[in-house]
Amino acid sequence: MKLNLIYCKNILNQIGINNELLYHIPEDMKYFKKITSQEYVKGQKNIVIMGYNTWKSIPDKYKPLPNRINIIITKNHFSEMKYEDENIKVFDDFDFCYKILKEGMNNGKMLGEKFVIGGSKLYNYVFDNYLSYINKIYETYISHSLN
């Protein structure tokens, strides 16, 4: 099963600060929505995979991200994440999440594209442990530093 990564980073390779995005660029937000929402497999929603802090950073009015299955990976907050439905799934381990998604695909379910959308711990984990499974990286590069 292939994974896609999507993020915006600056010249210092930073993607966020204090659990917030570094930059709020309307064009980039539209690009993110387009890439993660468009239908790649007919009749199948894409899947966005994120850590707990990324989930918490999304304004409530946008939760869950519409027209996508939202997966939250959290060990420390797993027990408080009790609200699952067809568009929200919670796992306490990325490896188990990957296994379940792969099994779903093998059974003809969850066939949409898989996007890792943050945060840094999750990106680093995927780079360290799933590098050969990365299909595409959608990177917005900002030639700017907050320093």
Side-chain angles (χ1 to χ4, degrees):
M1 180 182 79
K2 293 295 186 180
L3 300 167
N4 301 293
L5 281 67
I6 185 165
Y7 54 82
C8 175
K9 73 176 188 175
N10 69 6
I11 59 175
L12 299 175
N13 290 326
Q14 296 170 313
I15 61 168
I17 188 165
N18 299 324
N19 299 320
E20 295 289 333
L21 294 174
L22 287 177
Y23 306 99
H24 292 275
I25 304 167
E27 294 83 7
D28 193 49
M29 298 298 237
K30 287 177 190 168
Y31 176 73
F32 172 87
K33 182 178 181 181
K34 177 186 173 206
I35 294 298
T36 61
S37 295
Q38 73 185 37
E39 190 175 77
Y40 296 92
V41 178
K42 188 158 181 58
Q44 296 290 316
K45 290 182 182 178
N46 295 326
I47 298 166
V48 289
I49 306 168
M50 67 196 90
Y52 177 81
N53 288 334
T54 299
W55 171 254
K56 293 303 275 185
S57 73
I58 298 170
D60 286 341
K61 67 182 179 179
Y62 297 115
K63 286 183 190 171
L65 294 175
N67 304 314
R68 290 156 279 190
I69 297 170
N70 292 235
I71 293 181
I72 302 103
I73 309 290
T74 179
K75 283 189 190 334
N76 298 332
H77 303 279
F78 184 74
S79 61
E80 70 188 63
M81 301 287 291
K82 297 187 188 292
Y83 46 91
E84 281 197 16
D85 63 27
E86 65 183 28
N87 294 314
I88 301 173
K89 307 292 178 207
V90 182
F91 292 89
D92 65 354
D93 178 78
F94 182 82
D95 297 325
F96 184 65
C97 170
Y98 186 89
K99 178 183 172 205
I100 295 297
L101 289 175
K102 190 172 180 181
E103 287 173 2
M105 286 184 67
N106 292 339
N107 293 323
K109 299 175 182 167
M110 297 196 202
L111 299 174
E113 290 289 306
K114 283 71 176 175
F115 293 93
V116 176
I117 67 167
S120 62
K121 287 181 192 173
L122 189 53
Y123 288 129
N124 290 334
Y125 188 83
V126 170
F127 276 119
D128 290 346
N129 299 282
Y130 289 84
L131 187 60
S132 64
Y133 298 100
I134 296 174
N135 181 41
K136 292 182 183 174
I137 297 175
Y138 298 88
E139 178 182 278
T140 300
Y141 181 77
I142 307 296
S143 300
H144 183 262
S145 167
L146 294 179
N147 297 342

